[in-house]
Structure formats: structure tokens, C-alpha cells
Amino acid sequence: FNAVVDWELPGDTTSGKKITADIIVFSFVTPTPTPTATATATATATATATPTPSSPPLFDAEDSTYATFEGSWGTNAALPHNEANYHYSMGIGAKVTFHLNITSTGTYRVYIAHAAFPSRDENVKITVTTNTWPQTTTVDMTENGFPTLLDIGTYSFTEGMIANVSWEQVTSSSVSADAIAFVKVSDRIGYIVDGENSCCTAKGNTVVYDVLDHYGDGYFVCTGSGAGHDIHYVA
């Protein structure tokens, strides 16, 4: 079976608009049980909450082996949390990065734990560095605090890489950091179909550029519109 993905710029050719193509990614996803709570997420990710009794091993923010902090942070034990303390940000630019050495290639479900509080940011952007490029999702840190684990999605990692999960305070509302967890769900990983290999055809007024950030050696820009001007992937 061939999966086909294509797109074109509709309408007349005088609008001055363009479409671009760099890569497409296919990921293997394992279904999960019905979640007990949900949190806002961007793009195709859906952050869900899972109770802790059968939770996976947690990598705690208290351990510098797994977490580094930038900017101003405080610690406290007043709210529910894992281990001795949780961390909370004390100003814009305060950033936490969890880093885990991947010992086995595959697809992993990633969870975060935080200390929820009404003054936290409702739209915290979580960035996960995968074997392709950083991917983001958004969670509400006013709710679903520890012992709930927030499911922030599945991601592909390769053996030997360092997987990073990071977030920071970007508004007057604080963020918190307590722990993360990685659960392997498949030995398989998603794969990339680069626009520059034979799986992709670009028709019409299409040229290759190497100006903006991209994967591989270049990306397509199509300036024509309507039939005969499109970008077509087959994988």
C-alpha cells in the first residue's frame, strides 16, 4: 500500500503566494487507554493525564543527572510532588531541560509531572527533541498536578541520542517542574520522506532553495497555482 500526500496552491497565479515542501514524517503510534483527564495541546499532540499508582519510573528534577535549570528558580514541598521538592520558576526566562540518554531505539510515550497551582501558566509550551527535529505541545499547569502524569505524546528516538524535554516561563505566570517519564511503546520509529528523494515529485513552477532552515540539502518552493503546480509524496 502506498500512502500519498500532496498539496497545491489553489486559485489564480497572480496572488504572489507560494507553497513549500521539505519533508513528511510517518510515525508509528500505539493506542492508549481512555484518559482520565485531558490538557490542551498544540498541533496533533493531545496531552492527557494518567494517575500514578501504576506509573513508570520517574526522572526527578532534583537529580542534576536528568535536569538542568536556567534563570531564577525556587524549590518547595507544600504541594503534592515526587521525592523531596518540586521546582517553580521565579521570572521570565527561567527554563528547565530534562535530558535522558536513549539506550534503545524506538517510539516512546513521554510524561511530565508538575506542581499545579492557580497562578501557573495555562499555556506552557513543552518542547521534545526527537530523532528528527524539536516537537512541541502545550499544557495547562494550573491543573492536573502530581500525582497525575501528563501524557504529552509519542516520539521517536534512536539509541545513543540525548532526548531533551524542556519548558520555560515566558509570561508573568510561573511554571513548575517535578519529574518526567519515558515509556517505550514500540521498537519501531517514525521515518522521514525527504522531498529531495525519488518519493517526491514537484511539478510546475517549482525550484529548490537552501535559504531557510530545513532537513537535508534543500526544500521545494512552488509559485504556480492550480492544476499542474503541485508537490506530491508517495511512501
Side-chain angles (χ1 to χ4, degrees), residues 202-225:
K203 298 181 292 184
N205 298 331
T206 306
V207 294
V208 177
Y209 281 90
D210 185 21
V211 179
L212 303 174
D213 292 339
H214 59 277
Y215 182 90
D217 295 326
Y219 58 93
F220 288 116
V221 175
C222 183
T223 58
S225 61

Side-chain angles (χ1 to χ4, degrees), residues 7 51 99 121 125 163 165 195 201 233:
W7 55 93
H99 33 82
D121 194 336
K125 185 175 75 171
V165 182
T201 57
Y233 286 84

Side-chain angles (χ1 to χ4, degrees), residues 81-193:
H81 60 282
N82 186 56
E83 295 196 0
N85 294 289
Y86 59 88
H87 290 66
Y88 62 93
S89 63
M90 299 174 63
I92 292 175
K95 180 179 181 180
V96 60
T97 301
F98 287 88
H99 33 82
L100 183 67
N101 182 31
I102 300 299
T103 59
S104 176
T105 295
T107 298
Y108 291 75
R109 190 166 295 279
V110 181
Y111 300 85
I112 69 165
H114 68 98
F117 198 69
S119 64
R120 302 278 191 248
D121 194 336
E122 297 180 356
N123 296 286
V124 181
K125 185 175 75 171
I126 312 292
T127 300
V128 181
T129 301
T130 70
N131 67 329
T132 51
W133 65 85
Q135 300 180 48
T136 62
T137 187
T138 303
V139 301
D140 181 353
M141 288 196 171
T142 66
E143 60 183 14
N144 293 323
F146 190 86
T148 296
L149 299 181
L150 279 178
D151 175 355
I152 61 170
T154 55
Y155 305 90
S156 295
F157 303 101
T158 52
E159 180 180 346
M161 72 172 291
I162 302 297
N164 292 321
V165 182
S166 63
W167 60 93
E168 65 179 297
Q169 179 176 335
V170 297
T171 69
S172 59
S173 299
S174 66
V175 301
S176 68
D178 193 20
I180 64 168
F182 280 59
V183 177
K184 190 174 184 181
V185 296
S186 174
D187 288 329
R188 301 179 298 178
I189 64 173
Y191 62 94
I192 295 174
V193 181

